[in-house]
């Protein structure tokens, strides 16, 4: 088979539209939430084990690294929620053509960014 079709394997040269990036980020945030379940279950177990464990967790959550992890998990949750709502609306034929898809992606990014910043303010 002698195909004369061009092959572009350089992923940095491919220009995807904004809805594609928001969809990819939706998947990535889902993976982050899946991994975060381990941290959340550890924190839950520690807090329910005893009063000393609860106090230990309380002290641990005051640290910079713990706040950063918490903010990351909450950020992934907020983005996943907003993008999931956009996908649900697209499932019922709202915003599934090209122009409204781009508008929906822009709204997803802006609303998520605002919620993530607000979450950062509350956490820090």
């Amino acid at each position: 088979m002698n195909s004369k079709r061009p092959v572009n394997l350089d992923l940095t040269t491919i220009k995807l539209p904004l809805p594609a990036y928001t969809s990819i980020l939706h998947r990535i945030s889902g993976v982050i939430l899946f991994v975060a379940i381990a941290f959340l279950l550890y924190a839950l177990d520690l807090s329910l084990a005893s009063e000393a464990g609860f106090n230990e967790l309380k002290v641990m959550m005051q640290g910079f690294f713990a706040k950063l992890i918490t903010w990351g998990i909450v950020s992934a949750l907020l983005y996943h929620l907003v993008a999931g709502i956009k996908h649900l609306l697209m499932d019922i034929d709202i915003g599934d053509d090209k122009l409204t898809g781009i508008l929906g992606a822009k709204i997803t990014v802006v609303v998520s960014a605002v919620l993530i910043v607000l979450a950062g303010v509350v956490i820090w």
Side-chain angles (χ1 to χ4, degrees):
M1 179 180 218
N2 188 5
S3 176
K4 303 238 183 214
R5 293 177 29 188
V7 177
N8 184 1
L9 297 178
D10 185 10
L11 297 177
T12 60
T13 63
I14 297 173
K15 301 294 180 198
L16 296 174
L18 183 61
Y21 286 115
T22 58
S23 181
I24 292 167
L25 286 173
H26 184 238
R27 293 168 191 243
I28 292 171
S29 67
V31 170
I32 291 170
L33 290 174
F34 180 76
V35 172
I37 289 173
F39 293 105
L40 296 174
L41 286 176
Y42 170 73
L44 180 65
D45 180 55
L46 188 62
S47 70
L48 295 177
S50 65
E51 186 177 347
F54 177 78
N55 290 331
E56 181 184 340
L57 180 66
K58 203 160 96 172
V59 169
M60 211 180 347
M61 291 305 292
Q62 298 301 320
F64 174 78
F65 190 64
K67 286 185 180 184
L68 185 65
I69 289 175
T70 303
W71 184 59
I73 292 171
V74 171
S75 298
L77 180 64
L78 289 172
Y79 181 82
H80 198 74
L81 174 71
V82 173
I85 291 171
K86 181 189 75 127
H87 282 287
L88 286 174
L89 290 174
M90 289 173 63
D91 285 343
I92 57 172
D93 294 331
I94 298 174
D96 59 349
D97 62 353
K98 185 176 181 179
L99 293 177
T100 56
I102 292 171
L103 178 64
K106 288 178 183 177
I107 291 171
T108 299
V109 169
V110 169
V111 170
S112 297
V114 168
L115 291 175
I116 289 169
V117 168
L118 287 175
V121 169
V122 170
I123 291 171
W124 297 97

